Amino acid sequence: MELSTAIAICGAALAAGLAGCGSSLGVGIAGEAGAGVLTEDPKKFGLVLLLQALPGTQGIYGLLAGFLIMNKIGLLGGQLVSLTIQQGLAIAFAALPVGIVGLVSGIAQGKTSAASIQLIAKRPEEAGKAVILPAMVETYAVLGLLMTVLLLNGIKI
Amino acid sequence: MERDFRYTYAATRIRCLEKELLPLSFFHRLIGASSLSEVRKILEETVYGIREGEEFDVLWERESRRTLSIVKDVLPNKRLKDFFSYSYDIFNLKVLLKNKLLAKRGMKKNWDILVDMGTVPVDKMISIVENEQYVYLPFHKKDSVYIIWDLLDRMEKAELDTKFVDLFLDKLYFNFMLNEAREMGESFLVEYIKLLIDLTNIMTFFRAKFAGRSKSFLSDVLISGGFVDEDRLVDVYQDNLDSFVKVLHYSPYSGLVEKMAALFEQGQDLASLEKLKDNYLIETLKNCKFVMFGIQPIVAFMVAKDMEIKNLRIVITGKQAGLSEGILKERLRYVYV
């Protein structure tokens, strides 16, 4: 395997790894808050589960970006494409938006979800608003993914 | 920030329980009840329901016990759990020491009011005090033993009133709590204890003035470690109340002491000053409502519950004594919700 391919694989690993870390931390924070509510009021399970799952999307975006990179360099089909060092580096850099934004926004969304879980603990009638607040954080994770996809598309092999 | 995530579960569970805190309108309804049996009926809608044949007195301890057990359940480590139980240890210690002193003066001991909610079981606490083994007290700083010996010695020699036991032991308690909060690195708990120290000092200042105590007495009983340096309070003790208000003018307590001084000068009793102090505490802690991650909601909940139980006691004992609705409404403390 060429060094350029290894660099591109490093990009795929960063995309999936960083975004996955963000999601796991976020889901963890929201889960702890969820357990607090469910101890007192198990009937709120449905809503709590939704709010806990919200920070999980960053991990999926990271995985998607990782697949796109693997597909681009032919790692999925087993037919590795020959890359120059510059192309390998460009792919690795293209992976960064989804990875970094996924890490930061995953934690931030977890915190907002946990706060929203506290909101529904006190005011279950405000469930709609409680879902919108953490969903706002999602925008930036989507933008990160969009940037990575556009950059990958722009790299000609 | 990372540290505060330790309380995510606890804070959320407490948020759920905040829903059961009683609003002010509930207390007004209770005050408006025509009879004690109606009071019982209204209480059944809340967590304070009492069984047939039970006296109202069981409510206070039962609910305090439940609140403490919830708080201990949600807190992540033993040191924090103990932190919130020490107040019961110090209460038991006060009762036992007072009993010991009264027994020496030929009175009968009365241990009925001891509460088994502290870190030291009641039996052990009795044995510590009876055998004078104060080193086994949880307030393990080495000077605590000397403080207690010194206190007992002074009380015996000077035949002081047993209420001095409260003042001196509060000093021991708050110093210990401040130290614990600092060692745990919990900045909010440090601030909270400092606030309690300041409020206690302000009340002690008025109490001392009310009873006409000397300046040296005040400097003996004021607690150090609060936001306001206690020496500044001692300095103005013999001046008029204006200088006291001025000294605290740039502190967060300026509004509080102004109102207190005005009431004091009108000749109001200390109970109305106590009410202002309670209201100030609850108003300050209302900021904890906006804290999502941290120990703040837990502390605020404990104080809110304490205040709620106090309000219930005011209303129920007041109604038993046949006090008028106006007086009861006036005596009510603010509520957290």
Side-chain angles (χ1 to χ4, degrees):
Chain A
M1 186 185 287
E2 293 166 17
L3 177 65
S4 53
T5 312
I7 294 171
I9 289 174
C10 178
L14 280 177
L18 290 177
C21 283
S23 272
S24 57
L25 288 169
V27 172
I29 296 166
E32 265 188 55
V37 174
L38 297 179
T39 312
E40 295 300 327
D41 191 358
K43 280 182 287 186
K44 295 205 173 92
F45 179 68
L47 204 52
V48 166
L49 184 70
L50 171 68
L51 285 165
Q52 193 201 354
L54 278 177
T57 48
Q58 281 82 347
I60 301 171
Y61 299 158
L63 187 73
L64 177 67
F67 272 127
L68 286 177
I69 294 171
M70 286 165 77
N71 193 34
K72 195 163 185 85
I73 62 173
L75 204 63
L76 278 181
Q79 283 285 308
L80 280 177
V81 181
S82 176
L83 300 170
T84 63
I85 292 284
Q86 285 85 344
Q87 284 168 330
L89 277 173
I91 290 174
F93 284 133
L96 291 182
V98 74
I100 295 171
V101 177
L103 174 66
V104 177
S105 74
I107 299 169
Q109 199 171 24
K111 280 159 66 181
T112 322
S113 280
S116 283
I117 288 172
Q118 293 196 10
L119 195 162
I120 57 157
K122 260 187 121 168
R123 296 183 188 279
E125 68 278 9
E126 303 294 351
K129 289 172 195 157
V131 177
I132 290 172
L133 297 178
M136 297 298 285
V137 187
E138 192 70 25
T139 319
Y140 303 94
V142 174
L143 293 182
L145 174 68
L146 184 65
M147 196 63 202
T148 296
V149 172
L150 290 176
L151 287 172
L152 282 176
N153 274 343
I155 299 168
K156 295 278 176 285
I157 295 175
Chain B
M1 194 67 209
E2 274 301 311
R3 293 175 54 83
D4 290 344
F5 285 140
R6 291 184 306 164
Y7 304 109
T8 311
Y9 168 78
T12 316
R13 200 167 150 198
I14 291 296
R15 244 343 64 103
C16 288
L17 293 167
E18 279 176 8
K19 273 199 304 183
E20 68 185 41
L21 290 173
L22 305 171
L24 199 60
S25 57
F26 177 86
F27 289 103
H28 285 172
R29 221 176 110 206
L30 217 53
I31 291 171
S34 56
S35 64
L36 284 171
S37 61
E38 201 184 329
V39 167
R40 273 174 185 267
K41 263 188 208 150
I42 298 175
L43 284 178
E44 266 168 30
E45 301 163 16
T46 68
V47 291
Y48 294 94
I50 43 174
R51 284 186 283 277
E52 202 65 39
E54 270 184 334
E55 292 293 322
F56 286 110
D57 293 352
V58 298
L59 278 180
W60 335 132
E61 197 189 317
R62 190 193 287 162
E63 198 52 23
S64 303
R65 203 176 277 276
R66 192 178 78 97
T67 309
L68 184 69
S69 82
I70 292 170
V71 167
K72 281 169 95 169
D73 197 28
V74 299
L75 284 172
N77 63 52
K78 185 174 181 300
R79 198 164 181 190
L80 271 169
K81 289 175 205 249
D82 285 349
F83 186 84
F84 293 102
S85 308
Y86 290 129
S87 59
Y88 298 100
D89 285 327
I90 203 78
F91 172 79
N92 285 344
L93 186 61
K94 282 176 188 172
V95 172
L96 286 166
L97 283 180
K98 279 185 206 172
N99 265 302
K100 198 179 170 73
L101 288 163
L102 289 174
K104 282 187 183 161
R105 293 176 197 171
M107 282 155 134
K108 213 170 154 266
K109 287 182 180 172
N110 176 14
W111 292 339
D112 294 347
I113 54 168
L114 294 176
V115 279
D116 201 4
M117 286 156 73
T119 58
V120 182
V122 166
D123 296 349
K124 199 175 164 205
M125 195 61 128
I126 293 175
S127 115
I128 288 174
V129 175
E130 288 301 298
N131 301 320
E132 306 197 334
Q133 298 166 320
Y134 303 116
V135 272
Y136 296 118
L137 285 173
F139 314 103
H140 50 64
K141 267 168 60 184
K142 61 179 188 307
D143 53 345
S144 68
V145 182
Y146 301 115
I147 292 175
I148 295 173
W149 279 115
D150 179 48
L151 168 66
L152 288 173
D153 195 42
R154 282 166 68 176
M155 301 285 292
E156 270 172 47
K157 273 189 195 145
E159 293 266 312
L160 289 173
D161 197 313
T162 47
K163 69 182 169 212
F164 289 87
V165 171
D166 289 344
L167 293 169
F168 283 95
L169 287 188
D170 275 344
K171 204 168 166 172
L172 174 71
Y173 168 71
F174 281 119
N175 285 332
F176 170 74
M177 294 292 273
L178 194 59
N179 195 45
E180 276 289 290
R182 281 195 180 126
E183 278 182 14
M184 284 191 286
E186 287 290 348
S187 56
F188 176 75
L189 288 182
V190 174
E191 280 173 29
Y192 171 63
I193 297 295
K194 282 183 162 193
L195 169 71
L196 291 185
I197 291 176
D198 284 342
L199 292 177
T200 310
N201 279 347
I202 291 171
M203 274 315 290
T204 309
F205 181 93
F206 280 107
R207 265 182 228 285
K209 238 179 160 46
F210 191 75
R213 301 276 168 207
S214 67
K215 193 171 174 176
S216 65
F217 166 82
L218 187 74
S219 93
D220 245 11
V221 294
L222 284 188
I223 308 160
S224 58
F227 291 112
V228 177
D229 185 6
E230 74 278 12
D231 292 338
R232 288 169 65 197
L233 302 185
V234 177
D235 289 344
V236 293
Y237 180 62
Q238 274 157 343
D239 305 345
N240 59 14
L241 276 176
D242 281 347
S243 5
F244 170 65
V245 173
K246 264 184 208 147
V247 159
L248 292 172
H249 189 65
Y250 292 105
S251 73
Y253 315 106
S254 61
L256 172 73
V257 289
E258 264 171 40
K259 280 187 219 154
M260 279 180 157
L263 283 183
F264 190 81
E265 274 168 353
Q266 283 166 22
Q268 297 264 7
D269 57 356
L270 290 168
S272 49
L273 301 190
E274 192 83 39
K275 182 190 151 184
L276 286 180
K277 183 201 86 174
D278 285 347
N279 284 351
Y280 180 85
L281 180 64
I282 209 96
E283 277 297 310
T284 310
L285 287 177
K286 274 187 181 174
N287 290 330
C288 298
K289 282 185 186 178
F290 309 112
V291 180
M292 297 292 157
F293 305 99
I295 200 168
Q296 288 88 327
I298 302 149
V299 176
F301 179 73
M302 277 203 91
V303 177
K305 265 286 179 191
D306 270 354
M307 219 55 91
E308 184 173 281
I309 294 168
K310 199 179 247 183
N311 271 342
L312 266 185
R313 265 182 114 137
I314 290 171
V315 174
I316 293 173
T317 50
K319 282 202 98 64
Q320 282 169 333
L323 296 180
S324 75
E325 287 191 19
I327 292 178
L328 289 181
K329 278 184 186 161
E330 198 186 295
R331 288 188 185 171
L332 276 185
R333 266 67 173 164
Y334 287 167
V335 294
Y336 181 67
V337 286

